[in-house]
Amino acid sequence: MASHRKSRPVGTRVAGIRTPALATAALTSVALLSQSANAAPADDRPSLEEVEKKVDDLYRQAESATDNYNAAKEKTATQRKQVDTLLDDVARRTEKLNEAREELGSFAAAQYRTGAGASDTATFLLADTPQDYFDQTQLMGRLTNRQKGAVDDYVSEQSATMKKRQEASQSLQTLTETQSDLKTAKATVQKKLADAREMLSELTAQEKARLAALEKQKQEAAARKAAELAQQQAAAEKAAQEATTAPQESTSTATDSSYATKAAKALAFARAQIGKPYVWGATGPDSYDCSGLTQAAWKAAGVDLPRVTYDQVNAGTTVSLADAQPGDLVFFYDDISHVGLYIGNGMMIHAPKPGAYVREESIYYDGESAIHSVVRPA
């Protein structure tokens, strides 16, 4: 006789509970997910290219912050001179005021001795101004012209001294605020540089070698681009010479010669700095930042440039890259945070970034799109 018992469903037991086949599949998936979760975590470190980009960005941000630091530092120095001048002026005026007060005191004493103003001598010592005292006691009519002049001078000097004291106080407040800005700018630079150093320190020896190889490839590409520009400029110069008439050529040559003489001095100075370290905020003679180098180079040629890049970019005539001449300033990035001194053939001398040294390099070192403008110093 056939059994009427139902066959057991296919499945397994988990903690005494019968599980259907579908549940078994689900448990298998959970087990696999659990194994994946317990496995070694995926390497979420940025790629070498990403590290390079982040480090370069940090250095650029540091350089931009350096310009803010330089501007605040320059502003602080100017304001400090103004405050010192104002305080010196206040001191001189105060001394003069004291002398005038002594002279007026002698007038009051004379009035006391003659009995003309005995009851009012204390009033003189307590009056806000000698003018108040003499007006209130009606002594002005009894003073000599010289004495009246002394009173007028005292009142005028007192008013001027009070005004100068107010100016000095306001200047001191402004100086304090600028010094705070200076401290903030300095902290920003230091933070960006520390972040960049930390990222580089985390690279393995193999990654550092690969990074150096990437940098070499980048420089080779920049050199090829510079050679192309040199060929274009040479062709343009040749065409211009052939098309120029004699009188025009004479005028142009005279102008070019004057600029070329100054540019040669600037370039000679810059070449002598090659190998010196980049240090943010430095203007020489042992180290430089980018704008500190260009400023010092053109100063050697007798031309005073402003301290920071975003002021230097306005200190001359903007020219096209194709018309760039040796000595011109080449500015980089939208925020104009870097500058180099053009030497011709698509090359420049510049102080690149922290950890690097003043060197010759292609103006395409960070790609053509990084070039902002070219300026010929006035």
Side-chain angles (χ1 to χ4, degrees):
M1 187 172 166
S3 173
H4 294 285
R5 286 187 298 177
K6 295 180 181 179
S7 60
R8 291 181 180 180
V10 179
T12 59
R13 286 180 178 272
V14 177
I17 301 175
R18 184 181 294 129
T19 59
L22 184 59
T24 302
L27 284 171
T28 303
S29 298
V30 170
L32 290 173
L33 288 173
S34 178
Q35 290 175 4
S36 298
N38 292 329
D43 187 3
D44 58 353
R45 293 179 64 195
S47 68
L48 203 55
E49 288 77 7
E50 289 173 332
V51 170
E52 182 186 36
K53 185 179 185 307
K54 287 182 179 179
V55 169
D56 285 345
D57 285 345
L58 284 169
Y59 279 144
R60 274 194 53 208
Q61 292 169 26
E63 195 161 34
S64 181
T66 296
D67 260 359
N68 293 333
Y69 169 83
N70 289 338
K73 187 176 180 181
E74 192 173 52
K75 188 177 180 181
T76 298
T78 300
Q79 289 174 341
R80 192 181 300 280
K81 288 180 181 178
Q82 292 173 346
V83 168
D84 289 344
T85 299
L86 283 170
L87 291 177
D88 288 343
D89 192 18
V90 167
R92 285 194 299 270
R93 288 178 180 276
T94 300
E95 184 178 355
K96 188 175 181 181
L97 202 59
N98 290 336
E99 292 174 355
R101 179 181 286 275
E102 290 176 4
E103 185 176 3
L104 291 176
S106 67
F107 296 160
Q111 293 291 341
Y112 178 78
R113 285 194 300 271
T114 60
S119 61
D120 296 315
T121 303
T123 307
F124 171 79
L125 297 176
L126 297 174
D128 291 334
T129 69
Q131 186 70 55
D132 292 340
Y133 166 75
F134 283 110
D135 284 348
Q136 292 167 8
T137 59
Q138 298 180 342
L139 287 176
M140 287 298 288
R142 296 198 294 272
L143 295 179
T144 66
N145 289 335
R146 185 177 70 82
Q147 292 170 337
K148 290 178 181 179
V151 172
D152 291 340
D153 290 344
Y154 180 88
V155 172
S156 176
E157 190 63 36
Q158 186 183 52
S159 175
T161 301
M162 289 177 64
K163 184 178 179 181
K164 288 295 181 182
R165 281 175 179 163
Q166 291 174 347
E167 288 180 17
S169 177
Q170 291 173 352
S171 294
L172 279 171
Q173 182 178 352
T174 302
L175 177 60
T176 301
E177 293 171 354
T178 305
Q179 287 175 325
S180 177
D181 293 341
L182 184 65
K183 186 177 180 180
T184 300
K186 183 176 182 178
T188 300
V189 175
Q190 291 174 327
K191 177 66 167 60
K192 299 297 182 185
L193 296 181
D195 289 346
R197 284 193 293 267
E198 183 178 358
M199 289 194 72
L200 290 174
S201 69
E202 293 174 352
L203 296 178
T204 65
Q206 186 177 9
E207 287 173 330
K208 289 178 181 178
R210 276 193 59 208
L211 192 62
L214 287 173
E215 180 66 20
K216 184 178 179 181
Q217 291 174 5
K218 190 168 147 182
Q219 292 204 0
E220 288 173 348
R224 288 193 295 270
K225 192 71 179 174
E228 291 176 10
L229 177 61
Q231 291 177 351
Q232 294 171 3
Q233 289 179 327
E237 287 177 7
K238 183 178 179 181
Q241 288 176 354
E242 291 174 351
T244 302
T245 60
Q248 291 174 331
E249 183 178 358
S250 175
T251 303
S252 174
T253 301
T255 303
D256 292 347
S257 176
S258 174
Y259 178 75
T261 299
K262 294 179 181 178
K265 292 180 180 178
L267 288 171
F269 179 91
R271 284 194 177 93
Q273 312 314 308
I274 290 176
K276 293 183 178 179
Y278 176 105
V279 174
W280 63 273
T283 57
D286 299 322
S287 57
Y288 298 88
D289 63 18
C290 66
S291 56
L293 176 64
T294 52
Q295 183 189 46
W298 270 102
K299 185 175 182 179
V303 176
D304 290 326
L305 293 181
R307 174 66 183 92
V308 296
T309 53
Y310 45 78
D311 287 333
Q312 289 185 5
V313 76
N314 297 315
T317 304
T318 301
V319 299
S320 68
L321 183 57
D323 292 331
Q325 293 182 13
D328 291 350
L329 303 176
V330 185
F331 294 91
F332 298 86
Y333 312 116
D334 292 338
D335 59 357
I336 319 175
S337 58
H338 188 67
V339 62
L341 194 66
Y342 191 62
I343 59 177
N345 297 326
M347 301 292 288
M348 67 178 172
I349 298 174
H350 70 149
K353 59 186 177 182
Y357 298 84
V358 176
R359 66 192 183 202
E360 290 188 11
E361 192 165 27
S362 167
I363 61 174
Y364 298 104
Y365 78 105
D366 204 17
E368 187 172 4
S369 62
I371 298 175
H372 177 274
S373 57
V374 180
V375 172
R376 188 159 298 151

